Amino acid sequence: MILILKPDITTQGPEFEKIDNYLKQFPNVKIKLVELEGETRKVREIHLIGPTHDIPEDVLLAMPGIEQLIRVSQKYRQIGRYDVDLVPVGFTYQGLKFDQESFHIFAGPCAVDTPEYTEEVFKGLQRLGIVTSRMGAYKPRTSPYDFQGHGAKCLPWVFELAGKYGIKIIAMEVLREQHIEEIRAALRDAGNPTGVMLQVGTRNAQNFELLKAVGSQKEFPVLYKRGMGLTLEESLNACEYIVSEGNRRIVFCLRGVKTQLGSPHRNLVDFVHVPVIKRLTRLPVCIDPSHSIGSKARASDGPLEIAHAAAQGVIAGANMILLECHPNPGDALCDSQQLLTLSELEQFIKDMALVRETYKKRIGLYS
Ligand code: PEP
Ligand code: MN
Protein backbone atom coordinates (compact mmCIF):
# COMPACT_ATOMS: atom_id res chain seq x y z
CA MET A 1 0.00 0.00 0.00
CA ILE A 2 1.23 3.52 -0.80
CA LEU A 3 0.06 6.61 1.09
CA ILE A 4 0.72 9.86 -0.74
CA LEU A 5 0.98 12.74 1.71
CA LYS A 6 -0.51 16.17 1.09
CA PRO A 7 1.99 18.72 -0.28
CA ASP A 8 2.69 20.58 2.95
CA ILE A 9 3.00 17.54 5.23
CA THR A 10 6.48 16.82 6.55
CA THR A 11 7.69 14.09 8.86
CA GLN A 12 8.05 16.68 11.67
CA GLY A 13 4.39 17.76 11.74
CA PRO A 14 1.48 16.52 13.91
CA GLU A 15 -0.39 15.06 10.92
CA PHE A 16 2.49 12.75 10.18
CA GLU A 17 2.78 11.76 13.84
CA LYS A 18 -0.89 10.83 13.83
CA ILE A 19 -0.49 8.54 10.81
CA ASP A 20 2.69 7.03 12.25
CA ASN A 21 1.03 6.31 15.61
CA TYR A 22 -1.94 4.70 13.92
CA LEU A 23 0.26 2.43 11.81
CA LYS A 24 2.04 1.18 14.95
CA GLN A 25 -1.04 -1.00 15.50
CA PHE A 26 0.18 -3.14 12.61
CA PRO A 27 3.61 -4.31 13.81
CA ASN A 28 4.17 -6.71 10.89
CA VAL A 29 3.83 -3.92 8.36
CA LYS A 30 7.15 -2.23 7.61
CA ILE A 31 7.04 1.50 6.96
CA LYS A 32 9.32 3.15 4.45
CA LEU A 33 9.40 6.86 3.67
CA VAL A 34 10.03 7.83 0.07
CA GLU A 35 10.62 11.33 -1.33
CA LEU A 36 10.28 11.90 -5.05
CA GLU A 37 10.76 14.89 -7.31
CA GLY A 38 7.37 15.23 -9.01
CA GLU A 39 6.52 17.35 -12.08
CA THR A 40 5.49 20.30 -9.96
CA ARG A 41 6.48 19.51 -6.38
CA LYS A 42 8.27 17.16 -4.03
CA VAL A 43 6.10 14.11 -3.38
CA ARG A 44 6.32 12.38 -0.02
CA GLU A 45 4.99 8.85 0.25
CA ILE A 46 4.70 6.26 2.98
CA HIS A 47 5.17 2.77 1.61
CA LEU A 48 3.62 0.02 3.69
CA ILE A 49 5.30 -3.31 3.11
CA GLY A 50 3.85 -6.60 4.38
CA PRO A 51 0.33 -7.75 5.29
CA THR A 52 -1.62 -4.54 4.65
CA HIS A 53 -4.98 -6.19 3.90
CA ASP A 54 -6.22 -5.62 7.47
CA ILE A 55 -5.54 -1.89 7.44
CA PRO A 56 -8.86 -0.08 6.92
CA GLU A 57 -8.67 2.39 4.06
CA ASP A 58 -11.42 4.66 5.40
CA VAL A 59 -9.53 5.36 8.64
CA LEU A 60 -6.41 6.36 6.75
CA LEU A 61 -8.28 8.43 4.17
CA ALA A 62 -10.00 10.36 6.97
CA MET A 63 -6.64 11.50 8.33
CA PRO A 64 -5.78 15.10 7.45
CA GLY A 65 -2.25 14.40 6.13
CA ILE A 66 -3.15 11.84 3.48
CA GLU A 67 -3.89 12.93 -0.09
CA GLN A 68 -4.24 9.55 -1.73
CA LEU A 69 -4.08 5.85 -0.92
CA ILE A 70 -3.02 3.30 -3.48
CA ARG A 71 -3.53 -0.41 -3.00
CA VAL A 72 -0.86 -1.92 -5.13
CA SER A 73 -1.94 -5.17 -6.63
CA GLN A 74 1.04 -5.61 -8.94
CA LYS A 75 4.34 -6.63 -7.45
CA TYR A 76 6.19 -3.80 -9.17
CA ARG A 77 4.39 -1.05 -7.36
CA GLN A 78 6.68 1.91 -8.02
CA ILE A 79 7.66 1.51 -11.66
CA GLY A 80 4.10 0.53 -12.54
CA ARG A 81 1.52 2.83 -14.03
CA TYR A 82 -0.66 3.34 -11.02
CA ASP A 83 -3.09 6.16 -11.63
CA VAL A 84 -1.13 9.04 -10.17
CA ASP A 85 0.55 11.49 -12.48
CA LEU A 86 2.52 13.23 -9.76
CA VAL A 87 5.72 11.42 -10.61
CA PRO A 88 7.03 12.03 -14.10
CA VAL A 89 7.80 9.29 -16.58
CA GLY A 90 11.52 9.26 -17.26
CA PHE A 91 14.34 11.60 -16.35
CA THR A 92 16.98 14.00 -17.65
CA TYR A 93 20.68 13.18 -17.36
CA GLN A 94 23.59 15.15 -18.81
CA GLY A 95 21.04 17.39 -20.51
CA LEU A 96 19.45 14.46 -22.38
CA LYS A 97 15.87 13.41 -21.79
CA PHE A 98 14.98 9.76 -21.31
CA ASP A 99 11.29 8.95 -21.32
CA GLN A 100 8.78 6.96 -23.31
CA GLU A 101 8.95 9.47 -26.19
CA SER A 102 12.71 10.05 -26.45
CA PHE A 103 15.06 8.24 -28.80
CA HIS A 104 18.83 7.70 -28.44
CA ILE A 105 21.42 5.41 -29.96
CA PHE A 106 24.25 4.28 -27.65
CA ALA A 107 26.97 2.81 -29.88
CA GLY A 108 30.43 1.51 -29.14
CA PRO A 109 32.50 -1.61 -28.62
CA CYS A 110 31.56 -4.45 -26.31
CA ALA A 111 34.70 -3.86 -24.26
CA VAL A 112 37.23 -1.05 -23.97
CA ASP A 113 40.46 -2.16 -25.66
CA THR A 114 43.02 0.42 -26.82
CA PRO A 115 43.05 4.24 -26.51
CA GLU A 116 43.48 4.44 -30.31
CA TYR A 117 40.34 2.41 -31.08
CA THR A 118 38.39 4.17 -28.34
CA GLU A 119 39.31 7.54 -29.81
CA GLU A 120 38.33 6.36 -33.28
CA VAL A 121 34.90 5.29 -31.99
CA PHE A 122 34.24 8.60 -30.23
CA LYS A 123 35.48 10.58 -33.24
CA GLY A 124 33.20 8.53 -35.51
CA LEU A 125 30.21 9.12 -33.24
CA GLN A 126 30.89 12.84 -33.14
CA ARG A 127 31.01 12.93 -36.94
CA LEU A 128 27.61 11.22 -37.02
CA GLY A 129 26.15 13.61 -34.44
CA ILE A 130 25.84 10.94 -31.73
CA VAL A 131 26.64 11.91 -28.12
CA THR A 132 25.89 8.59 -26.42
CA SER A 133 28.17 5.57 -26.37
CA ARG A 134 28.62 2.18 -24.76
CA MET A 135 31.65 0.16 -23.70
CA GLY A 136 32.57 -2.17 -20.90
CA ALA A 137 35.54 -1.87 -18.57
CA TYR A 138 34.28 -4.74 -16.43
CA LYS A 139 33.17 -7.73 -18.49
CA PRO A 140 31.40 -10.83 -17.16
CA ARG A 141 32.59 -13.67 -19.41
CA THR A 142 31.31 -17.20 -19.75
CA SER A 143 34.83 -18.64 -19.68
CA PRO A 144 37.28 -17.59 -16.96
CA TYR A 145 40.04 -17.67 -19.61
CA ASP A 146 38.45 -14.91 -21.72
CA PHE A 147 39.31 -11.20 -21.52
CA GLN A 148 37.42 -9.68 -18.58
CA GLY A 149 37.99 -6.01 -19.28
CA HIS A 150 40.69 -3.52 -18.36
CA GLY A 151 38.83 -2.53 -15.18
CA ALA A 152 39.42 0.75 -13.37
CA LYS A 153 42.75 1.44 -14.99
CA CYS A 154 41.25 2.37 -18.36
CA LEU A 155 38.64 4.73 -16.92
CA PRO A 156 40.78 7.92 -16.78
CA TRP A 157 41.62 7.89 -20.48
CA VAL A 158 38.20 6.62 -21.57
CA PHE A 159 36.49 9.52 -19.78
CA GLU A 160 39.01 12.07 -20.99
CA LEU A 161 38.59 10.95 -24.61
CA ALA A 162 34.80 10.96 -24.23
CA GLY A 163 34.95 14.58 -23.08
CA LYS A 164 37.24 15.50 -25.98
CA TYR A 165 34.66 14.29 -28.52
CA GLY A 166 31.55 15.60 -26.80
CA ILE A 167 30.26 12.21 -25.65
CA LYS A 168 27.77 12.97 -22.90
CA ILE A 169 26.96 9.49 -21.61
CA ILE A 170 28.64 6.09 -21.76
CA ALA A 171 26.63 2.98 -20.85
CA MET A 172 29.04 0.87 -18.79
CA GLU A 173 28.38 -2.40 -17.03
CA VAL A 174 29.17 -2.80 -13.34
CA LEU A 175 29.48 -6.16 -11.61
CA ARG A 176 29.70 -5.03 -8.03
CA GLU A 177 29.39 -1.98 -5.80
CA GLN A 178 33.10 -1.23 -5.88
CA HIS A 179 32.88 -0.61 -9.63
CA ILE A 180 30.41 2.23 -9.02
CA GLU A 181 32.92 3.80 -6.63
CA GLU A 182 35.71 3.41 -9.17
CA ILE A 183 33.63 5.06 -11.89
CA ARG A 184 32.63 7.90 -9.58
CA ALA A 185 36.23 8.52 -8.52
CA ALA A 186 37.59 8.39 -12.08
CA LEU A 187 34.93 10.80 -13.34
CA ARG A 188 35.63 13.19 -10.48
CA ASP A 189 39.41 13.04 -10.99
CA ALA A 190 38.94 13.74 -14.71
CA GLY A 191 36.72 16.77 -13.93
CA ASN A 192 33.45 15.04 -14.97
CA PRO A 193 34.00 15.35 -18.73
CA THR A 194 31.19 12.88 -19.45
CA GLY A 195 28.46 10.87 -17.68
CA VAL A 196 27.89 7.16 -17.12
CA MET A 197 24.74 5.08 -17.26
CA LEU A 198 25.40 2.07 -15.04
CA GLN A 199 24.54 -1.12 -16.87
CA VAL A 200 23.26 -4.14 -14.96
CA GLY A 201 23.97 -7.02 -17.33
CA THR A 202 21.69 -9.93 -18.06
CA ARG A 203 23.85 -12.23 -15.93
CA ASN A 204 23.25 -10.03 -12.92
CA ALA A 205 19.57 -9.45 -13.57
CA GLN A 206 18.66 -11.02 -10.23
CA ASN A 207 21.79 -10.12 -8.29
CA PHE A 208 19.79 -8.40 -5.60
CA GLU A 209 22.78 -6.93 -3.80
CA LEU A 210 23.96 -5.30 -7.03
CA LEU A 211 20.43 -4.06 -7.72
CA LYS A 212 20.37 -2.48 -4.28
CA ALA A 213 23.79 -0.96 -4.84
CA VAL A 214 22.82 0.77 -8.12
CA GLY A 215 19.49 1.71 -6.54
CA SER A 216 20.86 3.29 -3.41
CA GLN A 217 22.94 5.86 -5.28
CA LYS A 218 21.32 8.67 -7.21
CA GLU A 219 24.23 10.05 -9.19
CA PHE A 220 24.01 7.64 -12.12
CA PRO A 221 20.99 6.35 -14.02
CA VAL A 222 20.73 2.60 -14.58
CA LEU A 223 20.38 0.59 -17.76
CA TYR A 224 18.80 -2.64 -16.58
CA LYS A 225 19.10 -5.57 -19.01
CA ARG A 226 16.37 -8.16 -18.88
CA GLY A 227 17.47 -11.53 -17.48
CA MET A 228 18.06 -13.89 -20.41
CA GLY A 229 16.16 -16.67 -18.63
CA LEU A 230 13.69 -14.60 -16.65
CA THR A 231 10.06 -13.83 -17.26
CA LEU A 232 9.24 -10.20 -17.91
CA GLU A 233 7.60 -10.01 -14.51
CA GLU A 234 10.74 -11.25 -12.77
CA SER A 235 12.84 -8.65 -14.54
CA LEU A 236 10.34 -5.89 -13.76
CA ASN A 237 10.47 -6.90 -10.12
CA ALA A 238 14.25 -6.57 -10.28
CA CYS A 239 13.78 -2.96 -11.47
CA GLU A 240 11.44 -2.49 -8.56
CA TYR A 241 14.37 -3.39 -6.28
CA ILE A 242 16.34 -0.53 -7.82
CA VAL A 243 13.60 2.08 -7.38
CA SER A 244 12.70 0.84 -3.93
CA GLU A 245 16.23 1.81 -2.86
CA GLY A 246 15.59 5.35 -4.11
CA ASN A 247 16.91 5.55 -7.69
CA ARG A 248 14.07 6.05 -10.17
CA ARG A 249 16.26 6.77 -13.18
CA ILE A 250 16.06 3.44 -14.98
CA VAL A 251 15.94 2.39 -18.61
CA PHE A 252 14.70 -1.14 -19.23
CA CYS A 253 16.63 -3.00 -21.94
CA LEU A 254 15.42 -5.97 -23.97
CA ARG A 255 18.35 -8.04 -25.23
CA GLY A 256 16.76 -11.34 -26.24
CA VAL A 257 16.16 -14.47 -24.18
CA LYS A 258 18.09 -17.71 -24.16
CA THR A 259 16.49 -20.65 -25.91
CA GLN A 260 17.40 -22.93 -28.80
CA LEU A 261 14.18 -21.70 -30.42
CA GLY A 262 15.98 -18.48 -31.36
CA SER A 263 18.65 -20.34 -33.35
CA PRO A 264 20.50 -19.35 -35.55
CA HIS A 265 20.38 -16.11 -33.56
CA ARG A 266 22.29 -15.87 -30.30
CA ASN A 267 19.04 -15.26 -28.43
CA LEU A 268 15.34 -15.20 -29.22
CA VAL A 269 14.54 -11.58 -30.06
CA ASP A 270 11.97 -10.24 -27.61
CA PHE A 271 11.37 -6.75 -29.00
CA VAL A 272 7.66 -7.52 -29.28
CA HIS A 273 7.70 -6.66 -25.55
CA VAL A 274 8.57 -2.97 -26.20
CA PRO A 275 4.92 -1.80 -26.10
CA VAL A 276 4.17 -4.19 -23.24
CA ILE A 277 6.79 -2.62 -20.97
CA LYS A 278 5.60 0.86 -21.97
CA ARG A 279 2.06 -0.12 -21.08
CA LEU A 280 2.90 -1.79 -17.77
CA THR A 281 5.53 0.63 -16.51
CA ARG A 282 6.73 4.20 -16.74
CA LEU A 283 10.22 3.19 -17.88
CA PRO A 284 11.85 4.17 -21.17
CA VAL A 285 12.59 1.02 -23.16
CA CYS A 286 15.90 0.15 -24.83
CA ILE A 287 16.59 -2.64 -27.31
CA ASP A 288 19.93 -4.37 -27.82
CA PRO A 289 19.92 -5.96 -31.28
CA SER A 290 23.64 -6.87 -31.07
CA HIS A 291 23.32 -9.42 -28.27
CA SER A 292 19.90 -10.55 -29.50
CA ILE A 293 21.14 -11.50 -32.97
CA GLY A 294 24.81 -12.10 -32.14
CA SER A 295 26.14 -12.25 -35.69
CA LYS A 296 26.75 -10.16 -38.79
CA ALA A 297 24.46 -12.30 -40.96
CA ARG A 298 23.08 -10.26 -43.82
CA ALA A 299 19.49 -10.67 -44.94
CA SER A 300 18.87 -11.53 -48.60
CA ASP A 301 17.20 -8.14 -49.12
CA GLY A 302 20.31 -6.23 -48.00
CA PRO A 303 20.36 -5.11 -44.36
CA LEU A 304 22.22 -6.90 -41.59
CA GLU A 305 19.84 -9.02 -39.50
CA ILE A 306 20.91 -6.80 -36.57
CA ALA A 307 19.38 -3.83 -38.44
CA HIS A 308 16.21 -5.73 -39.30
CA ALA A 309 15.78 -6.70 -35.63
CA ALA A 310 16.47 -3.15 -34.42
CA ALA A 311 13.90 -1.85 -36.91
CA GLN A 312 11.30 -4.18 -35.37
CA GLY A 313 11.92 -2.62 -31.96
CA VAL A 314 12.00 0.97 -33.20
CA ILE A 315 8.85 0.62 -35.30
CA ALA A 316 7.14 -0.51 -32.08
CA GLY A 317 8.30 2.54 -30.10
CA ALA A 318 11.69 1.68 -28.55
CA ASN A 319 13.29 4.70 -26.86
CA MET A 320 16.91 3.66 -27.08
CA ILE A 321 19.19 1.32 -29.00
CA LEU A 322 22.31 -0.21 -27.51
CA LEU A 323 24.53 -1.21 -30.42
CA GLU A 324 27.98 -2.74 -30.63
CA CYS A 325 30.49 -1.40 -33.17
CA HIS A 326 34.25 -1.22 -33.55
CA PRO A 327 36.68 0.39 -36.03
CA ASN A 328 38.22 -3.02 -36.69
CA PRO A 329 35.92 -5.82 -35.44
CA GLY A 330 38.46 -8.56 -36.16
CA ASP A 331 40.81 -7.02 -33.60
CA ALA A 332 38.22 -6.62 -30.83
CA LEU A 333 38.68 -8.48 -27.55
CA CYS A 334 35.02 -9.34 -27.01
CA ASP A 335 31.98 -10.17 -29.18
CA SER A 336 33.90 -9.51 -32.40
CA GLN A 337 31.40 -11.61 -34.40
CA GLN A 338 28.59 -9.05 -33.87
CA LEU A 339 30.40 -5.70 -34.06
CA LEU A 340 29.43 -3.29 -36.85
CA THR A 341 32.20 -1.32 -38.54
CA LEU A 342 31.94 2.46 -38.36
CA SER A 343 30.67 2.65 -41.94
CA GLU A 344 28.03 0.01 -41.16
CA LEU A 345 27.13 2.12 -38.12
CA GLU A 346 26.57 5.14 -40.36
CA GLN A 347 24.19 3.15 -42.55
CA PHE A 348 22.47 1.74 -39.45
CA ILE A 349 21.86 5.22 -38.05
CA LYS A 350 20.30 6.42 -41.32
CA ASP A 351 18.14 3.30 -41.40
CA MET A 352 16.92 3.84 -37.81
CA ALA A 353 16.11 7.50 -38.54
CA LEU A 354 13.79 6.32 -41.33
CA VAL A 355 12.17 3.73 -39.08
CA ARG A 356 11.73 6.22 -36.24
CA GLU A 357 10.01 8.67 -38.61
CA THR A 358 7.69 5.90 -39.73
CA TYR A 359 6.94 5.00 -36.12
CA LYS A 360 5.88 8.60 -35.49
CA LYS A 361 3.64 8.54 -38.58
CA ARG A 362 2.11 5.26 -37.41
CA ILE A 363 1.32 6.76 -34.04
CA GLY A 364 -0.26 9.75 -35.80
CA LEU A 365 -2.82 7.39 -37.33
CA TYR A 366 -4.11 6.50 -33.89
CA SER A 367 -4.11 9.89 -32.17
C1 PEP B 1 26.89 -6.05 -23.00
O1 PEP B 1 26.01 -5.20 -23.26
O2 PEP B 1 28.07 -5.88 -23.28
C2 PEP B 1 26.49 -7.32 -22.39
C3 PEP B 1 27.37 -8.13 -21.83
O3 PEP B 1 25.18 -7.54 -22.49
P1 PEP B 1 24.26 -8.67 -21.79
O4 PEP B 1 24.39 -8.46 -20.32
O5 PEP B 1 22.91 -8.36 -22.34
O6 PEP B 1 24.79 -10.00 -22.26
MN1 MN C 1 28.96 -7.64 -25.89
Side-chain angles (χ1 to χ4, degrees), residues 159-176:
F159 294 154
E160 192 199 313
L161 286 170
K164 180 170 168 192
Y165 292 99
I167 302 298
K168 294 187 173 169
I169 309 176
I170 304 172
M172 186 173 270
E173 182 164 0
V174 288
L175 309 180
R176 55 180 158 135

Side-chain angles (χ1 to χ4, degrees), residues 108-111 134 139 141 173 199 203 225 266 288 290-291 324 334-339:
C110 182
R134 59 145 294 142
K139 295 302 303 177
R141 300 304 299 277
E173 182 164 0
Q199 193 171 312
R203 291 161 189 81
K225 297 189 93 173
R266 187 172 174 182
D288 173 348
S290 303
H291 292 89
E324 289 192 342
C334 184
D335 281 349
S336 59
Q337 77 290 349
Q338 67 195 30
L339 302 168

Side-chain angles (χ1 to χ4, degrees), residues 299-312:
S300 54
D301 51 1
L304 292 170
E305 287 175 11
I306 286 178
H308 268 314
Q312 289 166 26

Side-chain angles (χ1 to χ4, degrees), residues 2 28 40 51 68 74 76 136 159 164 174 182 207 210 219 251 269 284 288 302 323-324 354 366:
I2 296 176
N28 293 327
T40 52
Q68 200 171 346
Q74 296 103 328
Y76 29 97
F159 294 154
K164 180 170 168 192
V174 288
E182 290 172 0
N207 177 342
L210 182 66
E219 186 175 348
V251 177
V269 183
D288 173 348
L323 184 84
E324 289 192 342
L354 286 177
Y366 299 90

Side-chain angles (χ1 to χ4, degrees), residues 236-300:
L236 291 174
N237 271 310
C239 289
E240 191 69 20
Y241 260 90
I242 300 172
V243 287
S244 69
E245 292 295 320
N247 189 357
R248 300 195 147 244
R249 301 195 291 172
I250 306 178
V251 177
F252 189 97
C253 181
L254 293 166
R255 46 82 69 211
V257 291
K258 196 148 215 78
T259 155
Q260 290 306 319
L261 300 177
S263 175
H265 294 152
R266 187 172 174 182
N267 289 283
L268 181 68
V269 183
D270 53 354
F271 301 163
V272 74
H273 278 161
V274 168
V276 180
I277 298 158
K278 289 172 85 170
R279 169 168 61 81
L280 293 177
T281 78
R282 296 172 294 156
L283 304 177
V285 184
C286 176
I287 51 166
D288 173 348
S290 303
H291 292 89
S292 295
I293 299 296
S295 82
K296 295 276 292 283
R298 194 171 283 282
S300 54

Side-chain angles (χ1 to χ4, degrees), residues 16-64:
F16 182 84
E17 197 182 336
K18 194 166 171 205
I19 301 167
D20 198 35
N21 281 338
Y22 178 70
L23 292 173
K24 287 205 172 85
Q25 295 177 42
F26 306 93
N28 293 327
V29 173
K30 202 175 135 212
I31 295 173
K32 187 165 166 184
L33 292 172
V34 177
E35 267 197 5
L36 315 163
E37 283 306 326
E39 294 277 22
T40 52
R41 64 172 170 98
K42 202 181 265 304
V43 182
R44 291 192 185 86
E45 297 180 351
I46 303 177
H47 292 187
L48 306 181
I49 300 154
T52 55
H53 37 83
D54 289 340
I55 304 180
E57 293 181 20
D58 50 344
V59 177
L60 286 170
L61 284 170
M63 290 191 178

